[in-house]
Amino acid sequence: MVWAFSWSRHGPLGPEQDFIALDRRDRRSQWYLLAALLGGAVVGFVGAGLSGAAPSWLMAVYDPYLIMVLAVVVGAGAAGFGWALLNGCMAAFGALVGQITAGAAIHHDAPFSGLGSAPGGLVAGLTIIAVLGPLSYGATRCDRVGGVCYGFASGLLLSMAAEEMLTLTEEWPYALATSAVLGIGFLLLFRRRLADRLFGVAIGLAYSVGYGMVLQSL
């Protein structure tokens, strides 16, 4: 009886506990997916609704950085690379739906010209938001791969201000300040060691500078 009890306690219950843990992880992933879609829709709707009415400095801080933060959050909290990519895509799709809805309901048009102020227009903006999901998931790793992922994620943040800096728009100081603050915040969140932080910063700056040079040459 003792042997049977011990076997039933440590044998059959092991897979059952694994199943429960897997079920909880899948449920959490599904909630993250829903949050990415709904959150993106809200951010896109509010951003498009405020367009033209809110001060330029507020829109420079809001658009597109809030949706990028959402993509980072749902990507970093994903259960795996595939979930992180899917979360980023859902955030981008939700933002697009929210923007189109606000354009039709508030401004009586369909703003397909671009998603916020993202460089390159609509396709590039959606791609950047979607890519931030898996990059943020990779940035949670405590190795060189994590540093590379963080570097590209921070580089994407800085690239948002590159186009406005090159064209000398009125919003470029606010965009640059917002991207820098978010980059530092993500650095403190994802990178623990000083060497990893310096490595990630170097990649981020290299990407953003290269992106700016490409824009300038066009």
Side-chain angles (χ1 to χ4, degrees):
M1 291 294 294
V2 175
W3 177 84
F5 174 79
S6 178
W7 181 86
S8 62
R9 182 177 183 180
H10 299 288
L13 288 184
E16 182 178 353
Q17 291 174 348
D18 292 341
F19 177 78
I20 294 175
L22 181 62
D23 182 68
R24 289 177 178 175
R25 189 186 68 174
D26 289 343
R27 287 181 180 272
R28 187 187 68 176
S29 299
Q30 293 168 4
W31 278 110
Y32 264 84
L33 189 64
L34 182 61
L37 179 61
L38 295 181
V42 171
V43 172
F45 184 88
V46 174
L50 292 176
S51 179
S56 60
W57 66 266
L58 178 61
M59 293 307 301
V61 173
Y62 183 96
D63 185 12
Y65 295 105
L66 195 58
I67 184 62
M68 296 179 75
V69 171
L70 175 64
V72 169
V73 171
V74 297
F81 179 85
W83 282 108
L85 178 59
L86 188 57
N87 288 346
C89 292
M90 287 297 101
F93 177 73
L96 177 62
V97 171
Q99 179 178 334
I100 294 175
T101 303
I106 299 176
H107 302 294
H108 306 291
D109 58 10
F112 284 101
S113 58
L115 183 59
S117 59
L122 177 62
V123 176
L126 293 175
T127 303
I128 289 173
I129 296 171
V131 168
L132 274 176
L135 284 179
S136 302
Y137 174 77
T140 60
R141 296 169 56 105
C142 300
D143 54 12
R144 290 298 184 186
V145 175
V148 172
C149 291
Y150 163 77
F152 279 111
S154 61
L156 288 175
L157 289 172
L158 292 173
S159 69
M160 295 295 100
E163 186 177 14
E164 295 179 359
M165 291 177 62
L166 292 175
T167 56
L168 296 179
T169 61
E170 297 179 355
E171 294 83 7
W172 78 263
Y174 306 104
L176 179 60
T178 302
S179 61
V181 170
L182 291 177
I184 294 174
F186 294 157
L187 178 66
L188 298 176
L189 178 63
F190 292 122
R191 303 288 93 196
R192 302 300 181 185
R193 298 186 303 176
L194 179 60
D196 293 337
R197 290 175 177 176
L198 294 177
F199 181 72
V201 168
I203 294 178
L205 290 177
Y207 174 85
S208 58
V209 170
Y211 180 83
M213 294 178 63
V214 171
L215 285 181
Q216 193 173 17
S217 65
L218 295 179

mmCIF file with all atom_site columns, all heavy atoms in Angstrom, residues 90-101:
data_model
loop_
_atom_site.group_PDB
_atom_site.id
_atom_site.type_symbol
_atom_site.label_atom_id
_atom_site.label_alt_id
_atom_site.label_comp_id
_atom_site.label_asym_id
_atom_site.label_entity_id
_atom_site.label_seq_id
_atom_site.pdbx_PDB_ins_code
_atom_site.Cartn_x
_atom_site.Cartn_y
_atom_site.Cartn_z
_atom_site.occupancy
_atom_site.B_iso_or_equiv
_atom_site.pdbx_formal_charge
_atom_site.auth_seq_id
_atom_site.auth_comp_id
_atom_site.auth_asym_id
_atom_site.auth_atom_id
_atom_site.pdbx_PDB_model_num
ATOM 1  N N   . MET A 1 90  ? -1.149  40.917 -34.118 1.00 0.00 ? 90  MET A N   1
ATOM 2  C CA  . MET A 1 90  ? -2.476  41.296 -33.661 1.00 0.00 ? 90  MET A CA  1
ATOM 3  C C   . MET A 1 90  ? -2.506  42.744 -33.200 1.00 0.00 ? 90  MET A C   1
ATOM 4  O O   . MET A 1 90  ? -3.494  43.462 -33.428 1.00 0.00 ? 90  MET A O   1
ATOM 5  C CB  . MET A 1 90  ? -2.921  40.375 -32.515 1.00 0.00 ? 90  MET A CB  1
ATOM 6  C CG  . MET A 1 90  ? -3.303  38.971 -32.948 1.00 0.00 ? 90  MET A CG  1
ATOM 7  S SD  . MET A 1 90  ? -4.741  38.912 -34.076 1.00 0.00 ? 90  MET A SD  1
ATOM 8  C CE  . MET A 1 90  ? -3.904  38.698 -35.662 1.00 0.00 ? 90  MET A CE  1
ATOM 9  N N   . ALA A 1 91  ? -1.441  43.208 -32.550 1.00 0.00 ? 91  ALA A N   1
ATOM 10 C CA  . ALA A 1 91  ? -1.375  44.606 -32.136 1.00 0.00 ? 91  ALA A CA  1
ATOM 11 C C   . ALA A 1 91  ? -1.370  45.522 -33.355 1.00 0.00 ? 91  ALA A C   1
ATOM 12 O O   . ALA A 1 91  ? -2.054  46.551 -33.381 1.00 0.00 ? 91  ALA A O   1
ATOM 13 C CB  . ALA A 1 91  ? -0.136  44.841 -31.278 1.00 0.00 ? 91  ALA A CB  1
ATOM 14 N N   . ALA A 1 92  ? -0.603  45.153 -34.379 1.00 0.00 ? 92  ALA A N   1
ATOM 15 C CA  . ALA A 1 92  ? -0.556  45.952 -35.598 1.00 0.00 ? 92  ALA A CA  1
ATOM 16 C C   . ALA A 1 92  ? -1.901  45.948 -36.315 1.00 0.00 ? 92  ALA A C   1
ATOM 17 O O   . ALA A 1 92  ? -2.386  46.994 -36.767 1.00 0.00 ? 92  ALA A O   1
ATOM 18 C CB  . ALA A 1 92  ? 0.537   45.415 -36.519 1.00 0.00 ? 92  ALA A CB  1
ATOM 19 N N   . PHE A 1 93  ? -2.523  44.772 -36.408 1.00 0.00 ? 93  PHE A N   1
ATOM 20 C CA  . PHE A 1 93  ? -3.827  44.671 -37.072 1.00 0.00 ? 93  PHE A CA  1
ATOM 21 C C   . PHE A 1 93  ? -4.885  45.453 -36.297 1.00 0.00 ? 93  PHE A C   1
ATOM 22 O O   . PHE A 1 93  ? -5.715  46.146 -36.893 1.00 0.00 ? 93  PHE A O   1
ATOM 23 C CB  . PHE A 1 93  ? -4.229  43.203 -37.187 1.00 0.00 ? 93  PHE A CB  1
ATOM 24 C CG  . PHE A 1 93  ? -5.586  42.998 -37.796 1.00 0.00 ? 93  PHE A CG  1
ATOM 25 C CD1 . PHE A 1 93  ? -5.789  43.194 -39.142 1.00 0.00 ? 93  PHE A CD1 1
ATOM 26 C CD2 . PHE A 1 93  ? -6.666  42.610 -37.013 1.00 0.00 ? 93  PHE A CD2 1
ATOM 27 C CE1 . PHE A 1 93  ? -7.049  43.010 -39.713 1.00 0.00 ? 93  PHE A CE1 1
ATOM 28 C CE2 . PHE A 1 93  ? -7.916  42.422 -37.565 1.00 0.00 ? 93  PHE A CE2 1
ATOM 29 C CZ  . PHE A 1 93  ? -8.111  42.627 -38.916 1.00 0.00 ? 93  PHE A CZ  1
ATOM 30 N N   . GLY A 1 94  ? -4.864  45.357 -34.965 1.00 0.00 ? 94  GLY A N   1
ATOM 31 C CA  . GLY A 1 94  ? -5.820  46.102 -34.156 1.00 0.00 ? 94  GLY A CA  1
ATOM 32 C C   . GLY A 1 94  ? -5.667  47.603 -34.325 1.00 0.00 ? 94  GLY A C   1
ATOM 33 O O   . GLY A 1 94  ? -6.657  48.339 -34.415 1.00 0.00 ? 94  GLY A O   1
ATOM 34 N N   . ALA A 1 95  ? -4.404  48.068 -34.392 1.00 0.00 ? 95  ALA A N   1
ATOM 35 C CA  . ALA A 1 95  ? -4.170  49.497 -34.592 1.00 0.00 ? 95  ALA A CA  1
ATOM 36 C C   . ALA A 1 95  ? -4.705  49.955 -35.941 1.00 0.00 ? 95  ALA A C   1
ATOM 37 O O   . ALA A 1 95  ? -5.284  51.042 -36.061 1.00 0.00 ? 95  ALA A O   1
ATOM 38 C CB  . ALA A 1 95  ? -2.681  49.795 -34.480 1.00 0.00 ? 95  ALA A CB  1
ATOM 39 N N   . LEU A 1 96  ? -4.523  49.137 -36.959 1.00 0.00 ? 96  LEU A N   1
ATOM 40 C CA  . LEU A 1 96  ? -5.031  49.480 -38.289 1.00 0.00 ? 96  LEU A CA  1
ATOM 41 C C   . LEU A 1 96  ? -6.556  49.548 -38.291 1.00 0.00 ? 96  LEU A C   1
ATOM 42 O O   . LEU A 1 96  ? -7.148  50.496 -38.825 1.00 0.00 ? 96  LEU A O   1
ATOM 43 C CB  . LEU A 1 96  ? -4.539  48.454 -39.305 1.00 0.00 ? 96  LEU A CB  1
ATOM 44 C CG  . LEU A 1 96  ? -5.053  48.626 -40.736 1.00 0.00 ? 96  LEU A CG  1
ATOM 45 C CD1 . LEU A 1 96  ? -4.601  49.963 -41.309 1.00 0.00 ? 96  LEU A CD1 1
ATOM 46 C CD2 . LEU A 1 96  ? -4.573  47.477 -41.611 1.00 0.00 ? 96  LEU A CD2 1
ATOM 47 N N   . VAL A 1 97  ? -7.198  48.559 -37.675 1.00 0.00 ? 97  VAL A N   1
ATOM 48 C CA  . VAL A 1 97  ? -8.663  48.546 -37.606 1.00 0.00 ? 97  VAL A CA  1
ATOM 49 C C   . VAL A 1 97  ? -9.179  49.756 -36.833 1.00 0.00 ? 97  VAL A C   1
ATOM 50 O O   . VAL A 1 97  ? -10.148 50.410 -37.229 1.00 0.00 ? 97  VAL A O   1
ATOM 51 C CB  . VAL A 1 97  ? -9.153  47.234 -36.961 1.00 0.00 ? 97  VAL A CB  1
ATOM 52 C CG1 . VAL A 1 97  ? -10.650 47.295 -36.685 1.00 0.00 ? 97  VAL A CG1 1
ATOM 53 C CG2 . VAL A 1 97  ? -8.830  46.048 -37.868 1.00 0.00 ? 97  VAL A CG2 1
ATOM 54 N N   . GLY A 1 98  ? -8.514  50.062 -35.700 1.00 0.00 ? 98  GLY A N   1
ATOM 55 C CA  . GLY A 1 98  ? -8.932  51.220 -34.914 1.00 0.00 ? 98  GLY A CA  1
ATOM 56 C C   . GLY A 1 98  ? -8.782  52.517 -35.675 1.00 0.00 ? 98  GLY A C   1
ATOM 57 O O   . GLY A 1 98  ? -9.638  53.402 -35.602 1.00 0.00 ? 98  GLY A O   1
ATOM 58 N N   . GLN A 1 99  ? -7.712  52.654 -36.438 1.00 0.00 ? 99  GLN A N   1
ATOM 59 C CA  . GLN A 1 99  ? -7.497  53.869 -37.212 1.00 0.00 ? 99  GLN A CA  1
ATOM 60 C C   . GLN A 1 99  ? -8.528  54.002 -38.320 1.00 0.00 ? 99  GLN A C   1
ATOM 61 O O   . GLN A 1 99  ? -9.067  55.095 -38.546 1.00 0.00 ? 99  GLN A O   1
ATOM 62 C CB  . GLN A 1 99  ? -6.095  53.858 -37.812 1.00 0.00 ? 99  GLN A CB  1
ATOM 63 C CG  . GLN A 1 99  ? -5.792  55.094 -38.653 1.00 0.00 ? 99  GLN A CG  1
ATOM 64 C CD  . GLN A 1 99  ? -4.380  55.098 -39.194 1.00 0.00 ? 99  GLN A CD  1
ATOM 65 O OE1 . GLN A 1 99  ? -3.488  54.500 -38.614 1.00 0.00 ? 99  GLN A OE1 1
ATOM 66 N NE2 . GLN A 1 99  ? -4.177  55.755 -40.311 1.00 0.00 ? 99  GLN A NE2 1
ATOM 67 N N   . ILE A 1 100 ? -8.811  52.918 -39.018 1.00 0.00 ? 100 ILE A N   1
ATOM 68 C CA  . ILE A 1 100 ? -9.808  52.964 -40.084 1.00 0.00 ? 100 ILE A CA  1
ATOM 69 C C   . ILE A 1 100 ? -11.193 53.283 -39.515 1.00 0.00 ? 100 ILE A C   1
ATOM 70 O O   . ILE A 1 100 ? -11.960 54.075 -40.085 1.00 0.00 ? 100 ILE A O   1
ATOM 71 C CB  . ILE A 1 100 ? -9.827  51.627 -40.844 1.00 0.00 ? 100 ILE A CB  1
ATOM 72 C CG1 . ILE A 1 100 ? -8.497  51.428 -41.571 1.00 0.00 ? 100 ILE A CG1 1
ATOM 73 C CG2 . ILE A 1 100 ? -10.985 51.581 -41.830 1.00 0.00 ? 100 ILE A CG2 1
ATOM 74 C CD1 . ILE A 1 100 ? -8.370  50.082 -42.243 1.00 0.00 ? 100 ILE A CD1 1
ATOM 75 N N   . THR A 1 101 ? -11.510 52.674 -38.376 1.00 0.00 ? 101 THR A N   1
ATOM 76 C CA  . THR A 1 101 ? -12.813 52.918 -37.751 1.00 0.00 ? 101 THR A CA  1
ATOM 77 C C   . THR A 1 101 ? -12.968 54.371 -37.334 1.00 0.00 ? 101 THR A C   1
ATOM 78 O O   . THR A 1 101 ? -14.009 54.997 -37.572 1.00 0.00 ? 101 THR A O   1
ATOM 79 C CB  . THR A 1 101 ? -12.983 52.008 -36.526 1.00 0.00 ? 101 THR A CB  1
ATOM 80 O OG1 . THR A 1 101 ? -12.843 50.640 -36.923 1.00 0.00 ? 101 THR A OG1 1
ATOM 81 C CG2 . THR A 1 101 ? -14.351 52.210 -35.890 1.00 0.00 ? 101 THR A CG2 1
#
